[in-house]
Coordinates of all heavy atoms in Angstrom, one line a residue:
M342 N 6.2 29.0 -0.6 CA 4.9 28.4 -1.1 C 4.6 27.2 -0.1 O 5.4 26.4 0.1 CB 5.0 28.0 -2.5 CG 3.7 27.6 -3.1 SD 3.8 27.4 -4.9 CE 4.6 25.8 -5.1
A343 N 3.4 27.2 0.4 CA 3.1 26.1 1.3 C 2.8 24.9 0.6 O 2.1 24.9 -0.5 CB 1.8 26.6 2.1
W344 N 3.2 23.8 1.1 CA 2.9 22.5 0.5 C 1.9 21.8 1.4 O 2.1 21.5 2.5 CB 4.2 21.7 0.5 CG 4.0 20.2 0.2 CD1 4.2 19.2 1.1 CD2 3.7 19.6 -1.0 NE1 4.0 18.0 0.5 CE2 3.6 18.2 -0.8 CE3 3.3 20.1 -2.3 CZ2 3.3 17.3 -1.8 CZ3 3.0 19.2 -3.3 CH2 3.0 17.8 -3.0
T345 N 0.7 21.7 0.8 CA -0.4 21.1 1.6 C -0.5 19.6 1.2 O -0.7 19.3 0.1 CB -1.7 21.8 1.3 OG1 -1.6 23.1 1.5 CG2 -2.8 21.2 2.2
E346 N -0.3 18.8 2.2 CA -0.4 17.3 2.0 C -1.8 16.9 2.2 O -2.4 17.3 3.2 CB 0.5 16.6 3.0 CG 2.0 16.8 2.7 CD 2.8 16.1 3.7 OE1 2.6 16.5 4.9 OE2 3.6 15.3 3.4
S347 N -2.3 16.2 1.3 CA -3.6 15.5 1.6 C -3.6 14.1 1.0 O -3.3 13.9 -0.1 CB -4.8 16.4 1.1 OG -5.0 16.1 -0.3
Y348 N -3.9 13.2 1.9 CA -3.9 11.8 1.5 C -5.3 11.3 1.4 O -6.2 11.7 2.2 CB -3.1 10.9 2.5 CG -1.7 11.3 2.6 CD1 -1.2 12.1 3.6 CD2 -0.8 10.8 1.6 CE1 0.2 12.4 3.7 CE2 0.6 11.1 1.7 CZ 1.0 11.9 2.7 OH 2.3 12.3 2.7
H349 N -5.5 10.5 0.4 CA -6.8 9.8 0.3 C -6.6 8.3 0.2 O -5.6 7.9 -0.4 CB -7.6 10.2 -0.9 CG -8.1 11.6 -0.8 ND1 -7.3 12.7 -1.0 CD2 -9.3 12.1 -0.4 CE1 -8.1 13.8 -0.7 NE2 -9.3 13.5 -0.4
C350 N -7.4 7.5 0.9 CA -7.3 6.1 0.9 C -7.4 5.6 -0.6 O -8.3 6.0 -1.3 CB -8.4 5.5 1.7 SG -8.4 3.7 1.7
D351 N -6.5 4.7 -1.0 CA -6.5 4.2 -2.4 C -7.5 3.2 -2.6 O -7.7 2.8 -3.8 CB -5.1 3.6 -2.7 CG -4.1 4.7 -3.0 OD1 -4.2 5.3 -4.1 OD2 -3.2 5.0 -2.2
V352 N -8.3 2.8 -1.6 CA -9.4 1.9 -1.8 C -10.7 2.6 -1.7 O -11.5 2.6 -2.6 CB -9.3 0.7 -0.8 CG1 -10.6 -0.1 -0.8 CG2 -8.1 -0.1 -1.0
C353 N -11.0 3.3 -0.6 CA -12.3 3.9 -0.4 C -12.3 5.4 -0.6 O -13.4 6.1 -0.6 CB -12.8 3.6 1.0 SG -12.0 4.5 2.3
N354 N -11.1 6.0 -0.9 CA -11.0 7.4 -1.2 C -11.3 8.4 0.0 O -11.5 9.6 -0.3 CB -11.9 7.8 -2.4 CG -11.3 9.0 -3.2 OD1 -10.1 9.1 -3.3 ND2 -12.2 9.8 -3.7
S355 N -11.4 7.9 1.2 CA -11.7 8.8 2.3 C -10.4 9.6 2.6 O -9.3 9.1 2.5 CB -12.3 8.1 3.5 OG -11.4 7.1 3.9
P356 N -10.6 10.9 3.0 CA -9.4 11.7 3.3 C -8.8 11.4 4.7 O -9.5 10.9 5.6 CB -10.0 13.1 3.4 CG -11.4 13.0 3.7 CD -11.8 11.6 3.1
R357 N -7.5 11.5 4.8 CA -6.9 11.2 6.1 C -6.9 12.3 7.1 O -6.5 13.4 6.7 CB -5.4 10.8 5.8 CG -4.7 10.4 7.1 CD -3.3 9.8 6.7 NE -2.7 9.3 7.9 CZ -1.8 9.9 8.7 NH1 -1.5 11.2 8.4 NH2 -1.3 9.4 9.8
G358 N -7.3 12.1 8.3 CA -7.2 13.0 9.4 C -5.9 12.9 10.1 O -5.2 11.8 10.0
D359 N -5.4 13.9 10.8 CA -4.1 13.9 11.4 C -3.9 12.7 12.4 O -2.8 12.2 12.5 CB -3.8 15.2 12.1 CG -3.5 16.3 11.1 OD1 -3.2 16.0 10.0 OD2 -3.6 17.5 11.5
A360 N -4.9 12.4 13.2 CA -4.7 11.5 14.3 C -5.0 10.0 13.8 O -4.9 9.1 14.7 CB -5.7 11.8 15.4
E361 N -5.2 9.8 12.6 CA -5.6 8.4 12.2 C -4.4 7.5 11.9 O -3.4 7.9 11.4 CB -6.5 8.5 10.9 CG -7.8 9.2 11.3 CD -8.7 9.4 10.0 OE1 -8.4 8.8 9.0 OE2 -9.6 10.2 10.1
D362 N -4.6 6.3 12.3 CA -3.6 5.3 12.0 C -3.8 4.6 10.7 O -4.7 3.8 10.6 CB -3.6 4.2 13.1 CG -3.0 4.8 14.4 OD1 -2.2 5.6 14.4 OD2 -3.5 4.3 15.5
W363 N -3.1 5.0 9.8 CA -3.2 4.4 8.4 C -2.1 3.4 8.1 O -1.2 3.3 8.9 CB -3.2 5.5 7.4 CG -4.6 6.2 7.2 CD1 -5.5 6.5 8.2 CD2 -5.1 6.8 6.0 NE1 -6.6 7.1 7.7 CE2 -6.4 7.3 6.4 CE3 -4.7 6.8 4.7 CZ2 -7.2 7.9 5.4 CZ3 -5.5 7.4 3.8 CH2 -6.8 8.0 4.1
W364 N -2.2 2.8 7.0 CA -1.3 1.8 6.6 C -0.7 2.1 5.2 O -1.4 2.8 4.4 CB -1.9 0.4 6.6 CG -2.4 0.0 8.0 CD1 -3.5 0.3 8.6 CD2 -1.6 -0.7 9.0 NE1 -3.6 -0.2 9.9 CE2 -2.4 -0.8 10.1 CE3 -0.4 -1.4 9.0 CZ2 -2.0 -1.5 11.3 CZ3 0.1 -2.0 10.1 CH2 -0.8 -2.1 11.3
L365 N 0.4 1.6 4.9 CA 1.0 1.8 3.6 C 1.2 0.4 3.0 O 1.6 -0.6 3.7 CB 2.4 2.5 3.7 CG 2.3 3.9 4.3 CD1 3.7 4.4 4.6 CD2 1.6 4.9 3.4
A366 N 1.1 0.3 1.7 CA 1.3 -1.0 1.0 C 2.0 -0.7 -0.3 O 1.7 0.4 -1.0 CB 0.0 -1.7 0.8
W367 N 2.8 -1.6 -0.7 CA 3.4 -1.6 -2.1 C 3.9 -2.9 -2.4 O 3.8 -3.9 -1.6 CB 4.6 -0.6 -2.1 CG 5.8 -1.0 -1.3 CD1 6.9 -1.6 -1.8 CD2 6.0 -0.8 0.1 NE1 7.8 -1.8 -0.7 CE2 7.3 -1.3 0.4 CE3 5.2 -0.2 1.2 CZ2 7.8 -1.3 1.7 CZ3 5.7 -0.2 2.4 CH2 7.0 -0.8 2.7
T368 N 4.2 -3.1 -3.7 CA 4.7 -4.4 -4.1 C 6.2 -4.3 -4.4 O 6.7 -3.2 -4.9 CB 4.0 -4.9 -5.4 OG1 4.1 -3.9 -6.4 CG2 2.5 -5.1 -5.1
D369 N 6.9 -5.3 -4.2 CA 8.3 -5.4 -4.7 C 8.5 -6.9 -5.2 O 7.6 -7.6 -5.3 CB 9.3 -5.0 -3.6 CG 9.4 -5.9 -2.4 OD1 8.7 -6.9 -2.4 OD2 10.1 -5.5 -1.5
L370 N 9.7 -7.2 -5.5 CA 10.0 -8.5 -6.1 C 10.8 -9.3 -5.2 O 11.7 -8.8 -4.5 CB 10.8 -8.3 -7.4 CG 10.0 -7.6 -8.5 CD1 10.9 -7.3 -9.7 CD2 8.8 -8.4 -9.0
T371 N 10.5 -10.6 -5.1 CA 11.2 -11.5 -4.3 C 11.7 -12.7 -5.3 O 10.9 -13.0 -6.2 CB 10.4 -12.0 -3.1 OG1 11.3 -12.8 -2.3 CG2 9.2 -12.9 -3.6
T372 N 12.8 -13.2 -5.0 CA 13.3 -14.2 -5.9 C 13.5 -15.5 -5.1 O 14.3 -15.6 -4.2 CB 14.7 -13.9 -6.5 OG1 14.6 -12.6 -7.1 CG2 15.1 -14.9 -7.6
P373 N 12.7 -16.6 -5.4 CA 12.9 -17.9 -4.8 C 14.3 -18.4 -5.1 O 14.9 -18.1 -6.1 CB 11.8 -18.7 -5.4 CG 10.9 -17.8 -6.1 CD 11.7 -16.6 -6.4
P374 N 14.8 -19.3 -4.2 CA 16.1 -19.9 -4.5 C 16.1 -20.6 -5.8 O 17.2 -20.6 -6.5 CB 16.3 -20.9 -3.3 CG 15.4 -20.4 -2.2 CD 14.3 -19.7 -2.9
E375 N 15.0 -21.3 -6.2 CA 14.9 -21.9 -7.5 C 13.7 -21.2 -8.2 O 12.6 -21.3 -7.6 CB 14.7 -23.4 -7.4 CG 15.9 -24.1 -6.8 CD 15.6 -25.6 -6.6 OE1 14.8 -26.1 -7.3 OE2 16.2 -26.1 -5.7
G376 N 13.9 -20.7 -9.3 CA 12.8 -20.1 -10.0 C 13.0 -18.6 -10.3 O 14.1 -18.1 -10.1
T377 N 12.0 -18.0 -10.9 CA 12.1 -16.7 -11.3 C 11.5 -15.7 -10.3 O 10.7 -16.2 -9.5 CB 11.5 -16.4 -12.7 OG1 10.1 -16.9 -12.6 CG2 12.2 -17.2 -13.8
E378 N 11.9 -14.5 -10.3 CA 11.4 -13.5 -9.4 C 9.9 -13.4 -9.5 O 9.3 -13.5 -10.6 CB 12.1 -12.2 -9.5 CG 11.8 -11.5 -10.9 CD 12.6 -10.2 -11.0 OE1 13.5 -10.0 -10.2 OE2 12.3 -9.4 -11.9
Q379 N 9.2 -13.0 -8.4 CA 7.8 -12.9 -8.4 C 7.5 -11.7 -7.5 O 8.2 -11.3 -6.6 CB 7.1 -14.1 -8.0 CG 7.4 -14.6 -6.6 CD 6.9 -16.0 -6.3 OE1 7.1 -17.0 -7.1 NE2 6.1 -16.1 -5.3
E380 N 6.3 -11.1 -7.7 CA 5.9 -10.0 -7.0 C 5.5 -10.4 -5.6 O 4.9 -11.4 -5.4 CB 4.7 -9.3 -7.7 CG 4.8 -7.8 -7.8 CD 3.7 -7.2 -8.6 OE1 2.5 -7.2 -8.0 OE2 3.9 -6.7 -9.7
S381 N 5.8 -9.5 -4.6 CA 5.2 -9.8 -3.3 C 4.7 -8.5 -2.7 O 5.1 -7.4 -3.1 CB 6.3 -10.3 -2.3 OG 7.3 -9.3 -2.1
L382 N 3.7 -8.6 -1.9 CA 3.0 -7.4 -1.3 C 3.5 -7.1 0.0 O 3.7 -8.0 0.9 CB 1.5 -7.8 -1.2 CG 0.6 -6.7 -0.6 CD1 0.6 -5.4 -1.5 CD2 -0.8 -7.2 -0.4
R383 N 3.8 -5.9 0.3 CA 4.3 -5.5 1.6 C 3.3 -4.4 2.2 O 2.9 -3.5 1.5 CB 5.7 -4.8 1.4 CG 6.7 -5.7 0.7 CD 8.1 -5.2 0.8 NE 8.5 -5.3 2.2 CZ 9.7 -4.9 2.6 NH1 10.6 -4.4 1.8 NH2 10.1 -5.0 3.9
I384 N 3.1 -4.6 3.5 CA 2.2 -3.7 4.2 C 3.0 -3.3 5.5 O 3.6 -4.1 6.1 CB 0.9 -4.4 4.6 CG1 0.1 -4.7 3.3 CG2 0.1 -3.5 5.5 CD1 -1.2 -5.4 3.5
T385 N 2.9 -2.0 5.8 CA 3.6 -1.5 7.0 C 2.8 -0.4 7.6 O 1.9 0.2 6.9 CB 5.0 -1.0 6.7 OG1 5.7 -0.8 7.9 CG2 5.0 0.2 5.8
R386 N 3.0 -0.1 8.8 CA 2.2 1.0 9.4 C 2.7 2.3 8.8 O 3.7 2.4 8.2 CB 2.4 1.0 11.0 CG 3.8 1.2 11.4 CD 3.9 0.9 13.0 NE 5.2 0.8 13.4 CZ 6.1 1.8 13.6 NH1 5.7 3.0 13.5 NH2 7.3 1.5 14.0
W387 N 1.8 3.3 9.1 CA 2.1 4.6 8.4 C 3.5 5.1 8.8 O 3.9 5.1 10.0 CB 1.0 5.6 8.9 CG 1.1 6.9 8.2 CD1 1.8 8.0 8.6 CD2 0.5 7.2 7.0 NE1 1.6 9.0 7.7 CE2 0.8 8.6 6.6 CE3 -0.3 6.5 6.1 CZ2 0.4 9.2 5.5 CZ3 -0.8 7.2 4.9 CH2 -0.4 8.5 4.6
S388 N 4.2 5.6 7.8 CA 5.4 6.3 8.0 C 5.4 7.5 7.2 O 5.1 7.4 6.0 CB 6.6 5.4 7.6 OG 7.7 6.1 7.1
H389 N 5.6 8.7 7.8 CA 5.5 9.9 7.1 C 6.5 9.9 5.9 O 6.1 10.3 4.8 CB 5.8 11.1 8.0 CG 5.5 12.4 7.3 ND1 4.2 12.8 7.0 CD2 6.3 13.4 6.9 CE1 4.2 14.0 6.5 NE2 5.5 14.4 6.4
S390 N 7.7 9.5 6.1 CA 8.6 9.6 5.0 C 8.3 8.6 3.9 O 8.5 8.8 2.7 CB 10.1 9.4 5.5 OG 10.2 8.3 6.3
L391 N 7.8 7.4 4.3 CA 7.5 6.4 3.2 C 6.2 6.8 2.4 O 6.1 6.5 1.3 CB 7.2 5.0 3.9 CG 8.4 4.2 4.2 CD1 7.9 2.9 5.0 CD2 9.1 3.7 3.0
S392 N 5.4 7.6 3.1 CA 4.1 8.0 2.5 C 4.3 8.8 1.2 O 3.4 8.9 0.4 CB 3.2 8.7 3.5 OG 3.7 9.9 3.8
H393 N 5.5 9.4 1.0 CA 5.7 10.3 -0.1 C 6.1 9.4 -1.4 O 6.1 10.0 -2.5 CB 6.8 11.3 0.1 CG 6.5 12.2 1.2 ND1 5.4 13.1 1.2 CD2 7.1 12.4 2.4 CE1 5.4 13.8 2.3 NE2 6.4 13.4 3.1
S394 N 6.4 8.2 -1.2 CA 6.9 7.4 -2.3 C 5.9 7.3 -3.4 O 4.7 7.1 -3.1 CB 7.3 6.0 -1.7 OG 8.0 5.3 -2.6
A395 N 6.3 7.3 -4.6 CA 5.4 7.4 -5.7 C 4.5 6.2 -5.9 O 3.3 6.3 -6.2 CB 6.2 7.7 -7.0
D396 N 5.0 5.0 -5.6 CA 4.3 3.8 -5.9 C 3.6 3.2 -4.6 O 3.2 2.1 -4.6 CB 5.1 2.8 -6.6 CG 6.4 2.5 -5.8 OD1 6.7 3.2 -4.8 OD2 7.2 1.6 -6.2
V397 N 3.6 3.9 -3.5 CA 3.1 3.4 -2.3 C 1.6 3.7 -2.2 O 1.1 4.7 -2.7 CB 3.8 4.0 -1.0 CG1 3.4 5.4 -0.7 CG2 3.6 3.1 0.2
K398 N 0.8 2.7 -1.7 CA -0.6 2.9 -1.6 C -1.0 3.3 -0.1 O -0.4 2.8 0.8 CB -1.4 1.6 -1.9 CG -1.1 1.1 -3.3 CD -1.6 2.1 -4.4 CE -1.3 1.5 -5.8 NZ -1.5 2.6 -6.8
H399 N -1.9 4.2 0.0 CA -2.3 4.7 1.4 C -3.7 4.0 1.7 O -4.6 4.1 0.9 CB -2.5 6.2 1.3 CG -1.3 6.9 0.7 ND1 -1.3 7.3 -0.6 CD2 0.0 7.1 1.2 CE1 -0.1 7.9 -0.8 NE2 0.7 7.8 0.2
L400 N -3.7 3.4 2.9 CA -4.8 2.6 3.2 C -5.3 3.0 4.6 O -4.6 3.1 5.6 CB -4.5 1.1 3.3 CG -3.9 0.6 1.9 CD1 -3.3 -0.8 2.1 CD2 -5.0 0.5 0.9
C401 N -6.7 3.3 4.7 CA -7.2 3.9 5.9 C -7.4 3.0 7.1 O -7.7 3.4 8.2 CB -8.5 4.7 5.6 SG -9.9 3.6 5.2
G402 N -7.3 1.7 6.9 CA -7.5 0.8 8.0 C -7.4 -0.7 7.5 O -7.1 -0.9 6.4
A403 N -7.6 -1.6 8.5 CA -7.5 -3.0 8.2 C -8.4 -3.4 7.1 O -8.1 -4.3 6.2 CB -7.7 -3.8 9.4
R404 N -9.6 -2.9 7.1 CA -10.6 -3.3 6.1 C -10.1 -3.0 4.7 O -10.2 -3.8 3.8 CB -12.0 -2.6 6.4 CG -13.1 -3.1 5.5 CD -14.4 -2.4 5.9 NE -14.8 -2.8 7.3 CZ -15.6 -3.8 7.6 NH1 -16.2 -4.4 6.6 NH2 -15.9 -4.1 8.8
C405 N -9.7 -1.8 4.5 CA -9.2 -1.4 3.2 C -7.9 -2.1 2.8 O -7.6 -2.4 1.7 CB -9.1 0.1 3.0 SG -10.7 0.9 2.8
A406 N -7.1 -2.4 3.8 CA -5.8 -3.1 3.6 C -6.2 -4.5 3.1 O -5.6 -5.0 2.1 CB -5.0 -3.2 4.8
Q407 N -7.2 -5.1 3.6 CA -7.7 -6.4 3.2 C -8.2 -6.4 1.8 O -8.0 -7.3 1.0 CB -8.7 -7.0 4.2 CG -8.0 -7.5 5.5 CD -9.0 -8.1 6.5 OE1 -10.2 -8.0 6.3 NE2 -8.5 -8.6 7.5
T408 N -9.0 -5.4 1.5 CA -9.6 -5.2 0.2 C -8.4 -5.1 -0.8 O -8.5 -5.7 -1.9 CB -10.5 -4.0 0.1 OG1 -11.5 -4.1 1.1 CG2 -11.1 -3.8 -1.3
F409 N -7.4 -4.3 -0.5 CA -6.3 -4.1 -1.4 C -5.6 -5.4 -1.6 O -5.2 -5.8 -2.7 CB -5.4 -3.0 -0.8 CG -4.2 -2.7 -1.7 CD1 -4.4 -2.0 -2.8 CD2 -2.9 -3.2 -1.4 CE1 -3.3 -1.7 -3.7 CE2 -1.9 -3.0 -2.2 CZ -2.1 -2.2 -3.4
M410 N -5.4 -6.2 -0.5 CA -4.7 -7.5 -0.6 C -5.5 -8.4 -1.5 O -5.0 -9.2 -2.3 CB -4.5 -8.1 0.8 CG -3.7 -9.4 0.7 SD -3.2 -10.0 2.3 CE -4.8 -10.6 2.9
D411 N -6.9 -8.4 -1.3 CA -7.7 -9.3 -2.1 C -7.5 -9.0 -3.6 O -7.4 -9.9 -4.4 CB -9.2 -9.1 -1.7 CG -9.6 -9.7 -0.4 OD1 -8.8 -10.5 0.1 OD2 -10.7 -9.4 0.1
R412 N -7.5 -7.7 -3.9 CA -7.4 -7.3 -5.3 C -6.0 -7.8 -5.9 O -5.9 -8.2 -7.0 CB -7.6 -5.8 -5.5 CG -9.0 -5.4 -5.2 CD -9.1 -3.9 -5.3 NE -10.4 -3.4 -4.9 CZ -10.7 -2.1 -4.7 NH1 -9.8 -1.2 -4.9 NH2 -11.9 -1.8 -4.4
W413 N -5.0 -7.5 -5.1 CA -3.7 -7.9 -5.5 C -3.6 -9.4 -5.7 O -3.0 -9.9 -6.7 CB -2.6 -7.4 -4.5 CG -1.3 -7.8 -4.9 CD1 -0.5 -7.3 -5.8 CD2 -0.5 -8.9 -4.3 NE1 0.7 -7.9 -5.9 CE2 0.7 -9.0 -5.0 CE3 -0.8 -9.9 -3.4 CZ2 1.7 -10.0 -4.7 CZ3 0.1 -10.9 -3.1 CH2 1.3 -10.9 -3.7
M414 N -4.2 -10.2 -4.8 CA -4.1 -11.6 -4.9 C -4.9 -12.1 -6.1 O -4.4 -13.1 -6.8 CB -4.7 -12.3 -3.6 CG -3.8 -12.2 -2.4 SD -4.5 -12.8 -0.9 CE -3.8 -14.4 -0.8
L415 N -6.0 -11.5 -6.4 CA -6.7 -11.9 -7.6 C -5.9 -11.6 -8.9 O -5.8 -12.4 -9.8 CB -8.0 -11.0 -7.7 CG -9.2 -11.6 -6.9 CD1 -10.4 -10.6 -7.0 CD2 -9.6 -13.0 -7.5
S416 N -5.2 -10.4 -8.9 CA -4.4 -10.1 -10.1 C -3.2 -11.0 -10.2 O -2.8 -11.4 -11.3 CB -4.0 -8.6 -10.1 OG -3.1 -8.4 -9.1
E417 N -2.6 -11.4 -9.1 CA -1.5 -12.3 -9.1 C -1.9 -13.7 -9.5 O -1.3 -14.4 -10.2 CB -0.8 -12.4 -7.7 CG 0.2 -11.2 -7.4 CD 1.3 -11.3 -8.4 OE1 2.2 -12.2 -8.4 OE2 1.4 -10.4 -9.3
G418 N -3.1 -14.1 -8.9 CA -3.6 -15.5 -9.2 C -3.9 -15.6 -10.7 O -3.7 -16.7 -11.3
A419 N -4.3 -14.5 -11.4 CA -4.6 -14.6 -12.8 C -3.3 -14.8 -13.6 O -3.4 -15.1 -14.8 CB -5.3 -13.3 -13.2
R420 N -2.2 -14.6 -13.0 CA -0.9 -14.7 -13.8 C -0.4 -16.1 -14.0 O 0.4 -16.4 -14.8 CB 0.2 -13.9 -13.1 CG 0.1 -12.5 -13.2 CD 1.3 -11.9 -12.5 NE 1.1 -10.5 -12.3 CZ 2.1 -9.6 -12.2 NH1 3.3 -9.9 -12.4 NH2 1.8 -8.3 -11.9
R421 N -0.9 -17.0 -13.1 CA -0.4 -18.4 -13.1 C -0.9 -19.1 -14.3 O -1.9 -18.9 -14.8 CB -0.8 -19.1 -11.8 CG 0.1 -18.7 -10.7 CD -0.3 -19.4 -9.4 NE -1.7 -19.2 -9.2 CZ -2.4 -19.6 -8.1 NH1 -1.7 -20.3 -7.2 NH2 -3.6 -19.4 -7.9
Ligands
ZN1039 ZN1 -10.2 3.2 3.0

């Protein structure tokens, strides 16, 4: 059975073409030397193996990566 991969940008929903340079983003936790752990945003260039990860976001370019970061910062800012 063929497995057809199709990615869509998690911000603008455009489909990914083969030659396009996309970005991946996800959050993990970082723990300051003093204090409690907090969420941090990670962005990296497209990696085929990372792109399968369940909680990773697919971003079609810098503009959508910035939009994603803006949204994340707003949600983090609301926690303080
Ligand atoms: Zn996009």
Side-chain angles (χ1 to χ4, degrees):
M342 195 169 72
W344 167 250
T345 307
E346 291 175 301
S347 83
Y348 296 100
H349 288 80
C350 176
D351 280 284
V352 172
C353 71
N354 206 37
S355 58
R357 180 173 188 265
D359 284 343
E361 293 174 16
D362 289 328
W363 279 34
W364 298 84
L365 298 170
W367 68 96
T368 57
D369 64 8
L370 295 172
T371 188
T372 307
E375 295 174 29
T377 55
E378 66 182 13
Q379 59 190 55
E380 226 177 66
S381 68
L382 179 65
R383 305 192 68 181
I384 294 176
T385 190
R386 63 189 163 81
W387 187 268
S388 148
H389 188 69
S390 50
L391 279 174
S392 68
H393 297 300
S394 192
D396 53 355
V397 77
K398 302 296 182 192
H399 311 100
L400 304 167
C401 70
R404 186 176 297 263
C405 283
Q407 285 179 353
T408 301
F409 183 75
M410 185 174 74
D411 283 349
R412 289 176 186 172
W413 177 79
M414 288 173 99
L415 276 174
S416 70
E417 278 298 291
R420 287 184 197 209
R421 282 179 304 184

